[in-house]
Amino acid sequence: MQKNTFKHLGFNDFYLALIGLPLLSFFIPQIFFQLYPWDGWEIFRHEWQESFLFTLSFWVLFRTLMIRLRKRFPLFSQIKIRIKKMLIYYICLVPIVNITLVSVFHLCQMKDAYDPNIYQAYLTTYFVSFTIIALYEAIYFYAQLSASITEREQARQAQIRSELDGLRNQVNPHFLFNSLNTLMHIVSEDQELAKRFLQRLSKVYRYILESRTSPLIPLAEELKFIDAYVFLQQERFQGNLEVEITIDSVFKQHHIVPLSLQILFENAIKHNIISKQHPLLIEVFVNEHLHLVVRNNLQRKRQVLDSTQAGLENISRRYAYFSKEDIKVEESEQYFTVTLPLIHPNKSSLYESADY
């Protein structure tokens, strides 16, 4: 029961009621009736007690109504309906409860030591009721807003995780197959090279498996991974793959989405001819707009099926969570170029603590 009550109130109101109701009742005679403890304690004490009974009655009434309305209209989007209905209750019930309590007091012969006029009485009860409703609605609104933000963040993280997991599943089989084929050719010819090849292969797969720990990763980490990845690919293509990475150290602390460079390198290798007559050159640098550029000379293979561009779409979707800037894809007669936004470390730190 207490758990459900907490759910519909948004907080535990035990101490608020225990301390807040007597405290509010203590100030009501002073604010509305200009009765002060030092002017006559017996009169003030009597009014304090009566104010407390009024405050407690309205608190129980409107607290109960709020819980019932929130059970009936629980969604954050239904807040306007709840407030409209609560205002109707507020306008209609305050005078009814006020008259009922006054009648009960008279029947119980609880004669006021101080008899305020009717306007003071109604102003007081309306004030008490409004204070209770406004306080509870404000706290509940904040609790629902926080829960809504948390749910959206969890959904966003789940989406990123799903896309990255899907990407890892795509990368692993093809890349492993090609790498093992290359290893088979060099293991009998050069054992030292085979050992280095296995070490780099291990680094690549460790990075692929561990890259899901954060939605963003420092460019320096991605470049270390690319260095190992390029070593494997250069052994596969016998030196016909050339890579030039020219990036100032100041930019290496900026962040990108994991495996984005690997996707772009893989696309360049997959869709272009690589031979002694036509070596493939992939360049990586930061342009004058402080964006990361990956560019390769264009020498397309003849393919029966067109590219689905699934890798580029994956990068674009994941970048959309962290940057208002889109990735740019440009193709000319000479080059195929992809430009990626660099995420500043101050901004990326907001996402590094995400639970992945």
Side-chain angles (χ1 to χ4, degrees):
M1 180 67 180
Q2 185 177 3
K3 184 177 180 181
N4 290 334
T5 301
F6 176 83
K7 174 184 176 182
H8 295 297
L9 290 178
F11 73 112
N12 187 344
D13 65 342
F14 174 76
Y15 289 105
L16 176 65
L18 184 66
I19 300 172
L21 294 182
L23 193 63
L24 179 61
S25 303
F26 178 80
F27 286 106
I28 284 175
Q30 301 178 60
I31 296 172
F32 291 94
F33 308 139
Q34 287 74 52
L35 289 176
Y36 304 99
W38 51 85
D39 292 336
W41 174 249
E42 286 302 319
I43 295 177
F44 180 83
R45 183 179 60 82
H46 182 86
E47 288 302 319
W48 183 7
Q49 292 173 347
E50 187 172 310
S51 295
F52 178 75
L53 291 175
F54 269 86
T55 304
L56 179 63
S57 299
F58 282 109
W59 175 76
V60 172
L61 172 65
F62 286 110
R63 183 180 183 273
T64 303
L65 288 173
M66 281 186 283
I67 291 174
R68 289 185 177 181
L69 283 174
R70 289 166 185 175
K71 287 180 179 179
R72 187 177 176 186
F73 306 103
L75 300 179
F76 184 69
S77 58
Q78 295 174 316
I79 187 171
K80 290 183 180 179
I81 300 175
R82 292 198 305 267
I83 291 177
K84 286 180 181 178
K85 289 186 176 292
M86 183 55 70
L87 285 175
I88 293 173
Y89 290 140
Y90 170 70
I91 295 170
C92 297
L93 292 179
V94 168
I96 296 174
V97 176
N98 193 55
I99 294 171
T100 302
L101 289 174
V102 171
S103 301
V104 171
F105 290 160
H106 281 295
L107 288 174
C108 296
Q109 296 183 341
M110 294 176 63
K111 180 68 177 175
D112 282 350
Y114 170 78
D115 189 14
N117 62 54
I118 190 170
Y119 298 107
Q120 284 179 305
Y122 275 101
L123 179 62
T124 303
T125 52
Y126 271 109
F127 170 78
V128 171
S129 304
F130 180 81
T131 301
I132 294 171
I133 294 171
L135 180 61
Y136 274 79
E137 283 295 340
I139 294 174
Y140 187 63
F141 175 82
Y142 177 77
Q144 279 203 311
L145 181 62
S146 299
S148 177
I149 292 172
T150 300
E151 288 174 2
R152 286 200 301 269
E153 177 64 15
Q154 289 174 344
R156 182 189 67 82
Q157 292 179 7
Q159 178 68 17
I160 298 173
R161 184 169 59 247
S162 175
E163 291 177 356
L164 187 53
D165 285 345
L167 175 61
R168 288 168 54 225
N169 292 334
Q170 290 177 4
V171 169
N172 292 348
H174 301 93
F175 178 68
L176 180 60
F177 178 77
N178 291 328
S179 298
L180 291 178
N181 275 341
T182 303
L183 182 61
M184 287 177 59
H185 286 90
I186 65 175
V187 69
S188 59
E189 300 176 4
D190 191 334
Q191 292 187 358
E192 284 299 319
L193 178 58
K195 185 185 296 185
R196 292 201 304 273
F197 190 93
L198 282 173
Q199 289 173 344
R200 301 297 176 89
L201 183 61
S202 173
K203 287 182 180 180
V204 166
Y205 266 87
R206 186 181 301 114
Y207 180 86
I208 291 174
L209 293 173
E210 294 178 354
S211 59
R212 72 188 304 272
T213 58
S214 177
L216 293 171
I217 200 156
L219 177 58
E221 295 297 319
E222 184 88 356
L223 290 175
K224 288 180 182 178
F225 158 71
I226 283 297
D227 179 68
Y229 177 83
V230 167
F231 176 86
L232 301 178
Q233 296 290 13
Q234 285 179 330
E235 289 302 321
R236 174 187 171 192
F237 292 104
Q238 298 294 311
N240 297 319
L241 172 65
E242 300 175 13
V243 176
E244 293 182 1
I245 299 177
T246 310
I247 298 178
D248 194 283
S249 59
V250 69
F251 298 113
K252 293 184 179 180
Q253 299 308 311
H254 286 62
H255 287 60
I256 60 175
V257 298
L259 299 178
S260 53
L261 289 184
Q262 188 274 337
I263 292 174
L264 299 180
F265 273 60
E266 186 180 71
N267 281 351
I269 293 169
K270 179 180 178 182
H271 297 295
N272 289 278
I273 298 170
I274 304 177
S275 64
K276 287 185 178 181
Q277 293 77 21
H278 303 283
L280 180 68
L281 172 62
I282 303 177
E283 300 171 276
V284 183
F285 57 93
V286 176
N287 65 13
E288 64 275 12
H289 303 295
L290 306 184
H291 291 164
L292 185 67
V293 179
V294 180
R295 181 175 69 185
N296 64 270
N297 56 320
L298 196 60
Q299 40 199 34
R300 285 196 179 278
K301 295 178 181 177
R302 292 182 179 179
Q303 296 174 320
V304 177
L305 297 177
D306 293 334
S307 171
T308 62
Q309 296 191 336
L312 291 174
E313 289 180 6
N314 182 288
I315 298 174
S316 182
R317 284 197 306 269
R318 287 190 288 144
Y319 257 108
Y321 292 112
F322 311 109
S323 175
K324 294 181 180 179
E325 298 182 82
D326 297 326
I327 70 169
K328 295 180 180 179
V329 180
E330 299 174 298
E331 183 176 332
S332 65
E333 292 184 1
Q334 289 184 308
Y335 297 106
F336 184 86
T337 307
V338 179
T339 305
L340 304 177
L342 286 173
I343 311 298
H344 194 276
N346 292 342
K347 182 178 179 181
S348 61
S349 63
L350 298 174
Y351 306 98
E352 289 177 351
S353 60
D355 184 15
Y356 274 78

